[in-house]
Amino acid sequence: MKIDILTLFPEMFTGVLGTSILKKAKEKDIVEYNIVNYREFADNKHQTVDDYPYGGGAGMVLKPQPIFDAVESLKQGESKPRIILLCPQGETFNQSKAEELSQEDHLIFICGHYEGYDERIREFAVTDEVSIGDFVLTGGELGAMVMVDSIVRLLPGVLGNEDSPVLDSFSTGLLEHPHYTRPADFNGMKVPDILLSGDHRKIEEWREKESLRRTFLRRPDLLEGYQLTEKQRKWIMEWENEK
């Protein structure tokens, strides 16, 4: 996968992309990162990328020309990259979107700044508008970092255990079950006996039940579109009766 990131602050990405899983993915040649300062595409000697909004108002607006030219320079042959605009008005990013984008060969992220984008960038330059949540950031850089991390870890060969991304919270539609490691007794706080039993069938059932319980208690909204089995319905009825 190739990932291009258009930003006015390329130095922000150095530590993130050069550390941990994202670094390993690059070293394995699974992903290629390319950070582009779109100020370099400005068609004026001062490399200005913003201007006052028509009609007046507070703040400055990103001009279309530098963004359009930067995007065009990154397109390769007949390929059609997904061009993602980081924007508080976009669809909310989630695991499903990460899985969708992880199937692409080429992603281009556009990180905004100032008051906003010229509307023609939204209408004609991008394929997706995405937000990482209902809050406002100074620019799109942090949102791009979050999305890249979430997407790259899903690529085959990136994680040591291929089951890890499949079993993560949200990937299954539920929150992940609790985890424990040694020691089995830490200051009187003990690991559940079932996990020490060696009975893998019962352990898997315990994990399934705890995953569902945690979702039921913490994120019941996730169950609205989830297809429950008969066994899972019985568990939920038990917990509702306990309430």
Side-chain angles (χ1 to χ4, degrees), residues 187-199:
N187 293 344
M189 297 175 281
K190 297 182 179 181
V191 172
D193 290 337
I194 186 66
L195 298 180
L196 308 176
S197 69
D199 189 327

Side-chain angles (χ1 to χ4, degrees), residues 30-43:
I30 296 172
V31 64
E32 174 189 350
Y33 307 116
N34 180 36
I35 310 301
V36 177
N37 188 337
Y38 55 84
R39 189 179 297 280
E40 297 175 1
F41 289 84
D43 62 357

Side-chain angles (χ1 to χ4, degrees), residues 38-51 63 65-66 69:
Y38 55 84
R39 189 179 297 280
E40 297 175 1
F41 289 84
D43 62 357
N44 59 88
K45 65 179 181 180
H46 299 295
Q47 294 189 309
T48 303
V49 296
D50 62 320
D51 209 336
K63 299 168 66 175
Q65 177 272 318
D69 286 359

Side-chain angles (χ1 to χ4, degrees), residues 94-159:
N94 55 27
Q95 188 66 21
S96 177
K97 189 69 173 181
E99 292 169 358
E100 174 191 334
L101 293 174
S102 73
Q103 303 301 310
E104 300 289 337
D105 294 324
H106 188 188
L107 302 176
I108 299 176
F109 291 87
I110 302 175
C111 303
H113 213 66
Y114 309 114
E115 181 63 24
Y117 302 96
D118 183 290
E119 190 66 19
R120 289 164 290 190
I121 296 173
R122 299 178 190 276
E123 292 181 358
F124 303 109
V126 307
T127 60
D128 302 79
E129 292 184 49
V130 182
S131 166
I132 63 167
D134 295 337
F135 48 88
V136 179
L137 297 171
T138 304
E141 284 76 15
L142 293 176
M145 294 176 197
V146 168
M147 290 184 65
V148 169
D149 184 279
S150 180
I151 292 165
V152 168
R153 66 189 306 279
L154 294 173
L155 301 178
V158 170
L159 298 182

